Amino acid sequence: EAQVTQNPRYLITVTGKKLTVTCSQNMNHEYMSWYRQDPGLGLRQIYYSMNVEVTDKGDVPEGYKVSRKEKRNFPLILESPSPNQTSLYFCASSFRDDLSKNIQYFGAGTRLSVL
Amino acid sequence: QKEVEQNSGPLSVPEGAIASLNCTYSDRGSQSFFWYRQYSGKSPELIMSIYSNGDKEDGRFTAQLNKASQYVSLLIRDSQPSDSATYLCAVKSSASKIIFGSGTRLSIRP
């Protein structure tokens, strides 16, 4: 089954404790992306990757890191989480050719609370 | 001004009626427009895309685009309770970035 898998689905942590949210896709997609969703602000892109070892900043990259060492995985790293990073996070993936049609597959989401 | 604006709602529509959702955008160079549906606690799901002025129909859904007015809308005919969700408008800007609106919450009342 084609899917984008995020883990964990729910996470409560404390300020400053490093965490990683994993994202894995089994569709051989070149493009992967991270979004955060906050009430009244819609989906905002954090980072994206056009292929292995190619990553770029989205609209709200501050406080986040990513890596793309393998095609299927695109982890999101919060080195020192702060309460303003409390949000709902989505990973998405797509074939590069499908980007113009915005055919992205979304993961189920990770709800993060930073205390 | 936000790049993509939507009324947050909630928009309440009786079952069987037409639901009309609206979206405006600021970048005149935008070429591609999308509507996503998102159920509470779930991930967004692409339901419609439109690229040229006019109407595009897919089942009970019709997307309408007016580039001169920088306006895109989604009509849902014969609204069903299962249509109750948040609808996100997304626009591919001239810089090839996808920008999402904040969403309109739609509620279909039986």
Side-chain angles (χ1 to χ4, degrees):
Chain A
E1 181 190 350
Q3 56 186 5
V4 178
T5 304
Q6 291 179 232
N7 279 297
R9 292 289 316 281
Y10 303 92
L11 179 60
I12 301 173
T13 189
V14 295
T15 299
K17 185 176 181 182
K18 180 179 178 180
L19 67 91
T20 299
V21 185
T22 64
C23 175
S24 180
Q25 50 92 7
N26 62 359
M27 295 167 280
N28 204 35
H29 286 164
E30 299 95 357
Y31 179 87
M32 297 186 74
S33 179
W34 276 103
Y35 295 90
R36 61 179 289 176
Q37 188 174 30
D38 303 289
L41 294 177
L43 283 165
R44 294 181 293 168
Q45 191 176 49
I46 303 170
Y47 268 96
Y48 64 96
S49 169
M50 297 297 284
N51 214 325
V52 176
E53 302 290 2
V54 181
T55 62
D56 213 340
K57 295 178 181 178
D59 295 317
V60 287
E62 295 78 20
Y64 303 95
K65 284 175 57 177
V66 292
S67 68
R68 188 90 183 273
K69 294 177 183 171
E70 307 163 280
K71 202 171 189 178
R72 62 183 293 125
N73 295 323
F74 191 45
L76 180 69
I77 303 156
L78 284 71
E79 295 271 4
S80 183
S82 62
N84 65 12
Q85 293 177 297
T86 293
S87 187
L88 178 59
Y89 292 85
F90 287 104
C91 179
S93 73
S94 169
F95 287 116
R96 208 159 41 191
D97 292 345
D98 288 339
L99 276 179
S100 62
K101 301 172 187 173
N102 202 19
I103 302 175
Q104 294 188 76
Y105 291 77
F106 282 84
T110 295
R111 190 167 290 280
L112 171 66
S113 293
V114 183
L115 305 177
Chain B
Q1 181 192 6
K2 286 184 181 177
E3 293 179 84
V4 178
E5 293 213 52
Q6 297 180 253
N7 189 318
S8 62
L11 175 66
S12 181
V13 173
E15 185 175 355
I18 296 175
S20 177
L21 302 158
N22 304 315
C23 172
T24 58
Y25 59 95
S26 60
D27 182 354
R28 279 198 172 276
S30 300
Q31 294 295 320
S32 306
F33 308 86
F34 311 93
W35 284 99
Y36 280 79
R37 178 177 59 201
Q38 186 176 24
Y39 292 113
S40 181
K42 302 295 185 183
S43 54
E45 172 193 9
L46 180 66
I47 55 172
M48 287 289 285
S49 57
I50 187 166
Y51 308 101
S52 54
N53 279 329
D55 295 359
K56 179 182 177 183
E57 189 174 315
D58 184 0
R60 295 186 297 111
F61 298 100
T62 299
Q64 299 175 317
L65 175 62
N66 183 326
K67 290 185 179 178
S69 300
Q70 294 172 245
Y71 175 91
V72 58
S73 64
L74 179 71
L75 302 178
I76 306 175
R77 289 182 300 282
D78 188 23
S79 296
Q80 304 295 310
S82 60
D83 295 325
S84 296
T86 295
Y87 289 80
L88 302 170
C89 174
V91 175
K92 186 181 176 191
S93 73
S94 54
S96 293
K97 295 181 73 171
I98 303 292
I99 301 168
F100 286 84
S102 56
T104 297
R105 193 153 50 96
L106 174 66
S107 175
I108 307 300
R109 56 182 190 271

